[in-house]
C-alpha cells in the first residue's frame, strides 16, 4: 500500500485509522443482488443457491461468503435472477429512489450493476438510457442488461457532452457513478492501487466536474441527480459537489434519507450531514453518495420517435407462433429486428448499441431468434411453446448438448424452474441446442 495514500487516510479518519488499516488485511466484501423484475426476494431465497446475509443498504442485496465459487455458471445467474454486486455498490441507486415510469440516465454505466438495479426498479416501465464511453466496457454492459432481460432501455456508447446535445431536459433521474481513482477498490483490483497517485486523483476530479456539467443539462426541472464514487478522496467527493453547486446554484443538495453509512468530511460550507460515505467499517468497500435536485428551469430537446417498421410476414408469423401477446412496436435495422412496449427513440449522432429487445435476425427469408428475445420475452407476453428443464437437463443444455425430448416442433422457450433461460429448435424428436456458443459453460 502506498505510504502517501495511507497518510491521507490517517488525516481523514483520525482515531478510526487503525481500524481501517486492519480491514486492508481482510477479504473484500462479496454480495449478490436479486433481480426483482424476474423473481421476488422471498422466492429467490427459497432456491437456496447459497447462504445469504441481508444487507442494510439495499433490501434486494445480500452478503455472501468469499468461499463460494462458481456462481457465474449457476442456472439462476444465467437466467438473470441475480447480479453479483458487493452491497455498498447498491447505495447510489437506493438514494436515487427510482419510481416506475421515470426516465432515467445512467451516464457512466459499465459494467451494469447500477443500470440493472435501476431497470429492476423501473420494472419494464419508463425508459432507461445506459451509457458507457468505452466500447469494450459498453459491450459488457449490454451483455448484462440482456442477461437480466430488460426491454425498455437503450445502451449507448457516447461522450457525456454528446448526450447533452441531444437529450437536454429529458430525464427525471440521472446517475453519475463517476470514473474515479478507485481507492475503495484496492482490495478487489490491484491495478487501482498501482495506478494511484495524487495527480491521478486530481485528474479524476477534473473529469468528474465535466461529466456533472453534462448531467446538469439533461436533467429536468425538479429532476434528481445522484453523484457517486467508489473512492475516499475529498478532491473527488465533497470538493466536486461543492464546486458543482457553486457553478450551478439552482442545484440543491438534498438529504440522502438513508440509514446506512456516515456523513461526509467537513469542507467549506457544504452541509456534509446530507451526503453519505461508506467505509469497510460500515460493511462496504468504500462509496460516496450525494443527492441533488434541480430547482431551476431546463432547456428541452425535442424527443423524436422512430416510425414503426413494416416487416415481412414471416417475422410476424414468428411472433404469433411464439407469444400470446404480440409486440407493440417493431423496428428493423438492416436485417435485425427489435421490439419494445413503447415507441423507439430517434437520435442523430449518438452511437446506439441496442434499443429495446433484439428479437432476432432475418436470414434468407426466414427468421432466426436471438437469445435476448427469450431472456426478456416473457415480459412481452407468455411464450406459447415452453419446455421446463430439470437441473440435470439444464446443465446438459448449457454445456451445448441437445435434449432428448419429443413432441416439440419449431422454436421453443426453455425454462429452469419456470424462469426463461434459453431456447431450442424442436423437430418432434429432440430439442436442438440454440444456446449461443460463446455463452456455454464448461
Amino acid at each position: 500500500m502506498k505510504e502517501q495514500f495511507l497518510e491521507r487516510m490517517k488525516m481523514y479518519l483520525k482515531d478510526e485509522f487503525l481500524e481501517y488499516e486492519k480491514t486492508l488485511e481482510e477479504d473484500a466484501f462479496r454480495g449478490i443482488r436479486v433481480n426483482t423484475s424476474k423473481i421476488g426476494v422471498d422466492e429467490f431465497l427459497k432456491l437456496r443457491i447459497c447462504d445469504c446475509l441481508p444487507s442494510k443498504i439495499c433490501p434486494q442485496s445480500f452478503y455472501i461468503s468469499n468461499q463460494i465459487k462458481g456462481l457465474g455458471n449457476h442456472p439462476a445467474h444465467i437466467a438473470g435472477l441475480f447480479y453479483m454486486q458487493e452491497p455498498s455498490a447498491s447505495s447510489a441507486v437506493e438514494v436515487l429512489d427510482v419510481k416506475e415510469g421515470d426516465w432515467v440516465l445512467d451516464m457512466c454505466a459499465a459494467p451494469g450493476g447500477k443500470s440493472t438495479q435501476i431497470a429492476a426498479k423501473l420494472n419494464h416501465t419508463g425508459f432507461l438510457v445506459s451509457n458507457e464511453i468505452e466500447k469494450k466496457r459498453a459491450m459488457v454492459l449490454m451483455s448484462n442488461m440482456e442477461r437480466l432481460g430488460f426491454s425498455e432501455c437503450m445502451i449507448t456508447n457516447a461522450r457525456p457532452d454528446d448526450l447533452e446535445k441531444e437529450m437536454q431536459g429529458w430525464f427525471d433521474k440521472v446517475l453519475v457513478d463517476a470514473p474515479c481513482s478507485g481507492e475503495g477498490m484496492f482490495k478487489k483490483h490491484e491495478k487501482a492501487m498501482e495506478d494511484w497517485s495524487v495527480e491521478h486523483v486530481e485528474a479524476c476530479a477534473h473529469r468528474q466536474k465535466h461529466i456533472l456539467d453534462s448531467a446538469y443539462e439533461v436533467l429536468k426541472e425538479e429532476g434528481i441527480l445522484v453523484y457517486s464514487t467508489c473512492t475516499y478522496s475529498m478532491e473527488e467527493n465533497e470538493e466536486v459537489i461543492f464546486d458543482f453547486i457553486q457553478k450551478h446554484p439552482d442545484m440543491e443538495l438534498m438529504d440522502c434519507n438513508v440509514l446506512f453509512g456516515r456523513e461526509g468530511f467537513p469542507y467549506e460550507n457544504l452541509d456534509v450531514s446530507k451526503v453519505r460515505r461508506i467505509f469497510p467499517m460500515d460493511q462496504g468497500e468504500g462509496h460516496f453518495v450525494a443527492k441533488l435536485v434541480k430547482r431551476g428551469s431546463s432547456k428541452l430537446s425535442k424527443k423524436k420517435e422512430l416510425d414503426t417498421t413494416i416487416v415481412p410476414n414471416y417475422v410476424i408469423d414468428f411472433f404469433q407462433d411464439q407469444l400470446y401477446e404480440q409486440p407493440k412496436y417493431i423496428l428493423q435495422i438492416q436485417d435485425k429486428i427489435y421490439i419494445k412496449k413503447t415507441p423507439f427513440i430517434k437520435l442523430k449522432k449518438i452511437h446506439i448499441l441496442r434499443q429495446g429487445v433484439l428479437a432476432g435476425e432475418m436470414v434468407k427469408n426466414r427468421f432466426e431468434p436471438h437469445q435476448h428475445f427469450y431472456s426478456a420475452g416473457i415480459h412481452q407476453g407468455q411464450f406459447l411453446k415452453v419446455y421446463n428443464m430439470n437441473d440435470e437437463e439444464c446443465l446438459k443444455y448449457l454445456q451445448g448438448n441437445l435434449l432428448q425430448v419429443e413432441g416439440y416442433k419449431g422454436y421453443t422457450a426453455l425454462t429452469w424452474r419456470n424462469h426463461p433461460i434459453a431456447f431450442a429448435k424442436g423437430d418432434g424428436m429432440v430439442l436442438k441446442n440454440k444456446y449461443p456458443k460463446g455463452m456455454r459453460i464448461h
Side-chain angles (χ1 to χ4, degrees):
M1 191 66 67
K2 293 186 178 181
E3 193 61 35
Q4 191 177 16
F5 167 73
L6 292 175
E7 287 299 320
R8 285 163 58 93
M9 293 302 291
K10 191 179 294 184
M11 178 183 68
Y12 290 154
L13 291 170
K14 300 180 175 59
D15 293 344
E16 280 191 286
F17 174 73
L18 289 178
E19 188 179 355
Y20 166 74
E21 196 173 30
K22 287 179 185 175
T23 69
L24 297 176
E25 304 301 319
E26 300 168 356
D27 289 333
F29 291 102
R30 287 183 70 209
I32 59 176
R33 194 193 70 252
V34 179
N35 176 15
T36 50
S37 73
K38 285 198 168 189
I39 188 171
V41 171
D42 290 343
E43 185 186 350
F44 176 81
L45 293 175
K46 288 176 183 176
L47 295 176
R48 298 189 179 278
I49 291 164
C50 62
D51 289 338
C52 295
L53 182 65
S55 159
K56 294 180 181 178
I57 296 170
C58 168
Q60 295 81 38
S61 288
F62 297 86
Y63 296 97
I64 63 171
S65 166
N66 281 278
Q67 307 306 313
I68 296 169
K69 307 296 180 186
L71 281 183
N73 286 335
H74 195 287
H77 184 263
I78 295 169
L81 304 189
F82 70 92
Y83 187 95
M84 297 177 71
Q85 181 187 51
E86 186 265 308
S88 70
S90 66
S91 57
V93 176
E94 286 302 297
V95 171
L96 190 61
D97 194 25
V98 173
K99 306 294 186 187
E100 290 192 8
D102 280 344
W103 273 53
V104 186
L105 170 63
D106 185 355
M107 194 167 261
C108 314
K114 293 175 177 65
S115 271
T116 54
Q117 187 179 358
I118 291 168
K121 288 179 179 293
L122 288 173
N123 195 27
H124 310 290
T125 68
F127 193 53
L128 168 63
V129 176
S130 299
N131 180 67
E132 173 54 46
I133 191 170
E134 293 183 17
K135 181 66 178 292
K136 286 184 179 179
R137 285 170 54 78
M139 296 302 289
V140 174
L141 164 67
M142 184 168 70
S143 175
N144 280 321
M145 293 292 283
E146 177 184 302
R147 179 174 58 83
L148 271 71
F150 299 116
S151 60
E152 302 310 295
C153 57
M154 176 192 289
I155 314 298
T156 57
N157 172 215
R159 293 168 52 90
D161 51 357
D162 289 333
L163 297 176
E164 169 191 335
K165 292 169 188 173
E166 293 199 50
M167 298 178 173
Q168 285 187 319
W170 279 18
F171 296 99
D172 302 288
K173 310 278 170 65
V174 176
L175 174 64
V176 175
D177 183 44
C180 67
S181 59
E183 294 169 348
M185 296 291 108
F186 282 179
K187 287 190 285 184
K188 189 175 179 182
H189 300 297
E190 281 190 20
K191 193 172 188 317
M193 190 190 308
E194 292 167 5
D195 291 346
W196 187 90
S197 67
V198 172
E199 292 75 20
H200 181 47
V201 166
E202 291 170 347
C204 287
H206 180 74
R207 177 170 54 178
Q208 290 153 0
K209 291 173 185 177
H210 283 291
I211 295 172
L212 279 174
D213 286 340
S214 295
Y216 173 85
E217 295 296 336
V218 301
L219 193 63
K220 286 180 179 179
E221 184 175 349
E222 297 300 319
I224 299 296
L225 168 65
V226 165
Y227 173 79
S228 66
T229 71
C230 58
T231 202
Y232 303 124
S233 76
M234 286 184 66
E235 295 95 325
E236 298 176 77
N237 294 319
E238 288 88 353
E239 291 186 31
V240 164
I241 293 300
F242 179 79
D243 288 353
F244 178 64
I245 294 172
Q246 293 296 109
K247 188 173 182 180
H248 303 284
D250 58 336
M251 294 299 297
E252 178 187 328
L253 187 65
M254 301 178 69
D255 195 315
C256 286
N257 198 29
V258 292
L259 298 176
F260 57 76
R262 59 180 71 188
E263 67 180 37
F265 296 138
Y267 184 75
E268 298 287 347
N269 62 348
L270 188 70
D271 186 353
V272 294
S273 69
K274 293 181 176 178
V275 305
R276 303 314 289 167
R277 277 182 171 272
I278 299 173
F279 285 88
M281 302 84 79
D282 308 315
Q283 304 300 299
E285 285 305 313
H287 270 77
F288 172 89
V289 185
K291 181 178 185 178
L292 304 102
V293 59
K294 187 176 187 178
R295 297 301 188 192
S297 61
S298 296
K299 296 177 184 176
L300 184 61
S301 301
K302 188 175 180 181
K303 295 175 187 171
K304 295 183 179 178
E305 297 177 0
L306 286 166
D307 293 334
T308 303
T309 306
I310 299 174
V311 296
N313 286 337
Y314 62 83
V315 176
I316 301 300
D317 291 344
F318 168 80
F319 290 134
Q320 290 178 343
D321 179 65
Q322 293 291 302
L323 299 172
Y324 283 108
E325 183 182 336
Q326 299 307 294
K328 191 168 184 182
Y329 293 92
I330 301 175
L331 176 68
Q332 178 182 339
I333 300 178
Q334 296 177 334
D335 292 330
K336 290 184 170 60
I337 299 293
Y338 300 84
I339 57 176
K340 257 177 115 254
K341 292 167 61 178
T342 54
F344 287 86
I345 303 300
K346 182 178 182 179
L347 297 173
K348 293 179 182 177
K349 297 182 180 179
I350 302 298
H351 183 205
I352 301 173
L353 294 179
R354 185 169 298 174
Q355 183 174 186
V357 172
L358 174 53
E361 190 170 1
M362 298 180 293
V363 181
K364 296 179 181 179
N365 294 323
R366 69 178 189 277
F367 189 73
E368 294 187 357
H370 189 272
Q371 171 68 17
H372 195 189
F373 177 74
Y374 291 94
S375 65
I378 198 165
H379 304 297
Q380 306 292 333
Q382 290 286 345
F383 294 113
L384 286 164
K385 292 188 285 189
V386 180
Y387 179 71
N388 191 41
M389 300 180 289
N390 61 35
D391 289 3
E392 183 181 350
E393 289 173 323
C394 186
L395 176 61
K396 183 180 177 183
Y397 196 82
L398 294 175
Q399 290 173 334
N401 300 295
L402 57 75
L403 297 179
Q404 296 287 345
V405 176
E406 299 180 6
Y408 289 84
K409 286 193 175 183
Y411 290 110
T412 302
L414 300 182
T415 59
W416 170 79
R417 304 197 183 185
N418 297 311
H419 296 287
I421 193 169
F423 70 107
K425 192 171 186 181
D427 62 5
M429 300 301 293
V430 297
L431 287 171
K432 296 177 182 178
N433 200 301
K434 291 292 180 179
Y435 192 58
K437 290 182 180 178
M439 297 171 67
R440 293 174 184 176
I441 62 177
H442 304 285

